[in-house]
Amino acid sequence: MGKTVTKEQLLTLFDAADVNGNGKLSLAELDKLLVELDSSIAAHKRVVMRAYKASAGADEYVERDEFAEFVDLLYKYDELYKKFDTIDKNKDHKIEYKEFIKGFGILGIERSGDPEADFKKFDADGHGAILFSEFVDYFFKKTNADKLKH
C-alpha cells in the first residue's frame, strides 16, 4: 500500500475489510486490514490511532467516504513517526531538548538561530519534551500555513 492507489483500488480494499457489510470500518477491521497489507505501519499503534481518530466520524467508524482520508493520513503520520522515532534516541516516546538539537537536521526545516525557540515551537504544552502528538501538530500547522501563503 506504499504506492499510489486509485480510488477504485481503495474502495476494493474497503469492501474487503468490511466483513459485515455495514459500510463502515471499526478500528478492529482497520487494524486487521493493515496487518495484512502493511505490518510495519500496523505496528505503529499511535500512527494508526491518530489517523483513525482524525478520519472516523462521530460514530467512531471510518465510512467509505472517509477511507481515502484515513489512508492518506496514515501514511503522512507514519512518515512523521519515522522521523520522530529516529530523533528519539532513548526510545522513551518523547524528544528531549538534547535529542532535538542532535536530530534537528532530520526535520527538514530551517533553523531560526535560537535552538530553544525552535524547541518551544514543538513543545506546545511546555513540559520540556516533545510528544508525538505535538510533533505531528507542528508539522500539520506548518503545512497548512504554507498552503495558505500560496
Side-chain angles (χ1 to χ4, degrees), residues 10-78:
L10 280 175
L11 293 177
T12 299
L13 288 172
F14 182 93
D15 291 339
D18 185 18
V19 292
N20 60 5
N22 66 353
K24 47 190 172 184
L25 300 179
S26 67
L27 180 58
E29 290 170 316
L30 289 166
D31 191 53
K32 184 175 186 284
L33 174 67
L34 292 173
V35 167
E36 291 171 5
L37 294 175
D38 194 337
S39 61
S40 66
I41 287 182
H44 301 156
K45 296 300 181 192
R46 285 183 284 162
V47 168
V48 175
M49 281 303 298
R50 187 155 178 116
Y52 169 74
K53 287 181 178 181
S55 303
D59 63 355
E60 297 189 5
Y61 288 92
V62 174
E63 298 184 16
R64 272 177 87 86
D65 63 337
E66 300 164 333
F67 187 62
E69 177 187 22
F70 170 78
V71 172
D72 182 53
L73 288 173
L74 186 68
Y75 280 95
K76 286 177 181 176
Y77 293 155
D78 193 55

Side-chain angles (χ1 to χ4, degrees), residues 21-139:
N22 66 353
K24 47 190 172 184
L25 300 179
S26 67
L27 180 58
E29 290 170 316
L30 289 166
D31 191 53
K32 184 175 186 284
L33 174 67
L34 292 173
V35 167
E36 291 171 5
L37 294 175
D38 194 337
S39 61
S40 66
I41 287 182
H44 301 156
K45 296 300 181 192
R46 285 183 284 162
V47 168
V48 175
M49 281 303 298
R50 187 155 178 116
Y52 169 74
K53 287 181 178 181
S55 303
D59 63 355
E60 297 189 5
Y61 288 92
V62 174
E63 298 184 16
R64 272 177 87 86
D65 63 337
E66 300 164 333
F67 187 62
E69 177 187 22
F70 170 78
V71 172
D72 182 53
L73 288 173
L74 186 68
Y75 280 95
K76 286 177 181 176
Y77 293 155
D78 193 55
E79 286 303 310
L80 290 173
Y81 180 79
K82 289 173 187 173
K83 289 181 180 186
F84 182 91
D85 192 53
T86 300
I87 296 169
D88 178 23
K89 294 295 182 192
N90 65 3
K91 305 303 178 205
D92 63 353
H93 307 290
K94 56 188 175 186
I95 298 172
E96 285 88 15
Y97 181 73
K98 287 181 182 179
E99 292 172 319
F100 179 79
I101 297 304
K102 288 181 181 177
F104 194 90
I106 293 169
L107 300 176
I109 59 175
E110 244 180 80
R111 294 178 191 259
S112 71
D114 182 353
E116 285 186 40
D118 292 335
F119 182 80
K120 287 177 182 178
K121 288 177 187 174
F122 282 85
D123 183 20
D125 66 9
H127 285 103
I130 301 166
L131 304 175
F132 180 64
S133 59
E134 293 172 315
F135 192 79
V136 169
D137 289 347
Y138 173 84
F139 279 101

